Amino acid sequence: MEKKIAFERILALYIPWALACLFRSDALLSYFIAWSGSFFIFYITLCGWVKPLPNDRPIGEQLMRPIFLVQIIFAGYTCCTSIFYLFNVLGYDNFSKSNTLVLTDGNMLALTAQCQRYYCLGHAAFVTGILLFMKYPVKHKFKVENDNLANLLFYAAIIALPLSIVFMKVPGLSQFSNQFSSLSFVAGTLALAFAIPQKKMLNTAISLGLYFSNFYSALTSGFKEPIIISVLILGIFLYPTYKKVVLAIFVPVLLALFFLLPTYAKIFRQNAWGDQVSADDASQLALDAALNPGDDVDDTNWGFLVFRLSEIDMFTTFISSTPEKIDYYHYDLLEQSVVAIIPRIFWPEKPSTEDLVMERVYDAGVVYRGANVSAKPAFIVDAYLSFGQFGIWIFLFVYGAAAQLISLKAEKLFGGYLLGTALIFSGLFQIFWRGLSLEFIINSVFWSYISMLIIAWVLRYKNIIRPI
């Protein structure tokens, strides 16, 4: 029987934010209360104190559910990575005081602490949304025979990949390409995790081919996140079967990636994006530079930790301009999000979503017009720009609730956690992990939900999933 959540335990999620606000006159103390507050929220939610964790499966076999992976990646990236930026504001460079004679910019420190308080509030609201709608066990409407699961995952990986290529070539439908490319990767990784212990050599070989193909695409994308996600997902799927091996291999590999990828990505972009060499050659040059570091590696890694790992630098610029110079956007961003939902195939003259998002970036002075950069605000920033502090609470609450409700819907439609959350939710709704600008999130979630319903209908029509 699902236990009801205690109201006073929900309120406990907001204690760090309230304390940080109480001590706002001391910016440094306020920052550390808010920053450590996210770790407090992680602890009381992941140990089941606020609300008991789902007990329908062992913890290691439900890590893809929102309370675990989505919270750890989204809140961890959003709320916990700003510590390096704070050290930079305090005058540190590679954890060493760069100049003891230079005083700390008090205004910059206050803005940093204010942003961190907003992060802490957003984390609490996000988890509130998850926990209030986290109701397990899920009452399934359909079932899939366990004997067919491994083959189903295998075929899903093979079919989704060419579909992603087809969608990429059809004008106006490229957004579906990303959905099915991600679905193919998750399905292939799951199929690999099934095939290895079952010793299915053909399935293992093909699944390995798909996995390394996706990993190669991640290496030559110029971005760090796809590489980390590729390793992380494989480790999570293998963990229930090979706990000790995963902990011994994947944890050190992930830590190594955090140190190597800043240099790798910088060198790759300098060469590949500058049209100097091919992607293969750029990848080899970048790999050599990462494994054989030069004198500038410390600067590269520190710059990544300060300005790329966290987006707080951009957030401070936005709160400096809104609402003092630029009024809150109120419902404007939501209206633009509705426009973004319309596929370009039906409206060829539709305004560019990228351009709409960049307008508020230019207005706030984050980057100058004409600069060849993309600096889209994070979801929590758009929440603030819409309605201020209240916007952060309501938007992040809805964000957490939406992730949880969609995960539950997927488990109902696809017969349980494995196909529902691990495959469909994680494959189609990966945007919840990072949290991009409002227009991109609403557009992606809307059409991913439609894709989920269509896939469920096809599987029912083919009698692959059957009514209980």
Side-chain angles (χ1 to χ4, degrees):
M1 182 65 69
E2 181 73 22
K3 294 182 179 179
K4 292 184 178 181
I5 189 168
F7 179 71
E8 63 272 12
R9 297 200 175 193
I10 283 288
L11 288 180
L13 296 168
Y14 297 87
I15 290 176
W17 168 75
L19 287 175
C21 290
L22 182 64
F23 291 98
R24 70 176 63 197
S25 59
D26 186 332
L28 190 58
L29 176 60
S30 180
Y31 171 90
F32 275 112
I33 292 174
W35 181 75
S36 60
S38 281
F39 292 96
F40 170 76
I41 294 172
F42 278 128
Y43 176 73
I44 64 174
T45 54
L46 296 180
C47 76
W49 181 82
V50 180
K51 184 176 185 178
L53 297 174
N55 58 8
D56 57 328
R57 303 177 67 90
I59 297 297
E61 297 179 16
Q62 55 172 314
L63 294 176
M64 306 299 283
R65 280 174 171 163
I67 190 61
F68 297 106
L69 192 64
V70 178
Q71 182 192 184
I72 291 171
I73 294 180
F74 173 72
Y77 172 79
T78 302
C79 308
C80 302
T81 55
S82 64
I83 187 67
F84 305 103
Y85 183 82
L86 174 74
F87 278 110
N88 187 71
V89 170
L90 293 175
Y92 286 82
D93 184 8
N94 283 315
F95 301 103
S96 299
K97 193 74 170 179
S98 56
N99 191 337
T100 57
L101 299 178
V102 178
L103 297 177
T104 300
D105 185 336
N107 181 60
M108 199 68 240
L109 182 58
L111 285 173
T112 304
Q114 183 179 354
C115 290
Q116 195 62 42
R117 291 194 295 271
Y118 289 152
Y119 286 149
C120 187
L121 173 63
H123 189 180
F126 168 69
V127 173
T128 302
I130 291 177
L131 294 177
L132 288 181
F133 294 95
M134 189 176 74
K135 299 179 180 178
Y136 296 98
V138 176
K139 186 177 181 181
H140 302 153
K141 295 182 178 180
F142 304 93
K143 66 177 180 179
V144 179
E145 298 298 332
N146 290 334
D147 295 341
N148 297 330
L149 277 175
N151 289 332
L152 179 57
L153 292 168
F154 179 72
Y155 290 124
I158 294 176
I159 294 172
L161 185 59
L163 280 176
S164 71
I165 297 173
V166 171
F167 282 124
M168 179 59 72
K169 295 184 179 297
V170 177
L173 294 181
S174 59
Q175 66 183 23
F176 294 98
S177 174
N178 295 329
Q179 291 180 21
F180 282 89
S181 175
S182 176
L183 185 65
S184 174
F185 167 66
V186 174
T189 308
L190 258 176
L192 178 60
F194 263 74
I196 292 175
Q198 293 180 357
K199 299 181 180 180
K200 293 185 175 182
M201 300 306 296
L202 180 61
N203 286 23
T204 301
I206 296 177
S207 297
L208 273 173
L210 287 171
Y211 179 81
F212 283 114
S213 174
N214 279 286
F215 191 78
Y216 172 77
S217 297
L219 278 175
T220 55
S221 68
F223 298 100
K224 298 172 283 293
E225 292 86 353
I227 302 172
I228 294 173
I229 289 174
S230 297
V231 177
L232 179 64
I233 291 181
L234 180 60
I236 288 174
F237 287 160
L238 289 175
Y239 178 76
T241 308
Y242 305 102
K243 291 182 174 65
K244 293 182 179 179
V245 174
V246 168
L247 292 175
I249 295 177
F250 282 84
V251 173
V253 167
L254 286 170
L255 291 174
L257 287 175
F258 274 103
F259 285 99
L260 297 176
L261 285 179
T263 302
Y264 176 89
K266 178 184 178 181
I267 301 302
F268 180 89
R269 293 172 184 177
Q270 286 176 348
N271 289 278
W273 293 7
D275 295 326
Q276 298 178 25
V277 296
S278 67
D280 288 340
D281 291 337
S283 179
Q284 186 60 52
L285 289 171
L287 188 60
D288 291 341
L291 296 177
N292 302 285
D295 295 335
D296 64 338
V297 169
D298 285 343
D299 292 335
T300 300
N301 288 338
W302 183 250
F304 164 73
L305 292 173
V306 172
F307 297 108
R308 299 292 296 173
L309 182 62
S310 167
E311 297 184 353
I312 193 172
D313 183 54
M314 188 190 304
F315 199 1
T316 60
T317 305
F318 276 111
I319 67 174
S320 297
S321 60
T322 301
E324 183 177 336
K325 300 175 183 177
I326 303 169
D327 194 13
Y328 293 119
Y329 287 84
H330 300 296
Y331 294 99
D332 290 353
L333 305 187
L334 290 171
E335 291 173 0
Q336 289 179 181
S337 300
V338 173
V339 171
I341 288 175
I342 304 172
R344 194 168 295 277
I345 194 171
F346 300 125
W347 185 9
E349 295 80 20
K350 185 181 78 169
S352 167
T353 304
E354 177 88 12
D355 292 343
L356 290 175
V357 172
M358 288 301 294
E359 276 302 310
R360 54 187 179 271
V361 177
Y362 297 140
D363 290 343
V366 175
V367 297
Y368 296 106
R369 293 181 185 274
N372 188 25
V373 296
S374 178
K376 295 181 285 293
F379 181 81
I380 193 170
V381 175
D382 278 349
Y384 171 81
L385 293 177
S386 296
F387 297 101
Q389 186 167 266
F390 173 74
I392 290 175
W393 187 87
I394 192 66
F395 276 50
L396 269 294
F397 172 82
V398 172
Y399 191 90
Q404 180 59 47
L405 289 171
I406 292 172
S407 176
L408 289 174
K409 181 68 173 180
E411 293 197 21
K412 290 179 181 178
L413 289 176
F414 293 89
Y417 166 82
L418 189 63
L419 290 184
T421 290
L423 175 60
I424 298 298
F425 178 73
S426 300
L428 295 179
F429 298 92
Q430 277 188 22
I431 198 165
F432 278 122
W433 297 5
R434 176 70 184 272
L436 298 177
S437 303
L438 191 63
E439 293 91 339
F440 289 105
I441 285 181
I442 290 180
N443 173 64
S444 178
V445 170
F446 178 85
W447 286 110
S448 292
Y449 195 85
I450 298 300
S451 298
M452 178 178 71
L453 297 179
I454 293 174
I455 293 171
W457 178 84
V458 170
L459 293 181
R460 291 198 302 271
Y461 180 76
K462 293 294 184 179
N463 209 30
I464 296 173
I465 56 176
R466 303 174 183 178
I468 295 177

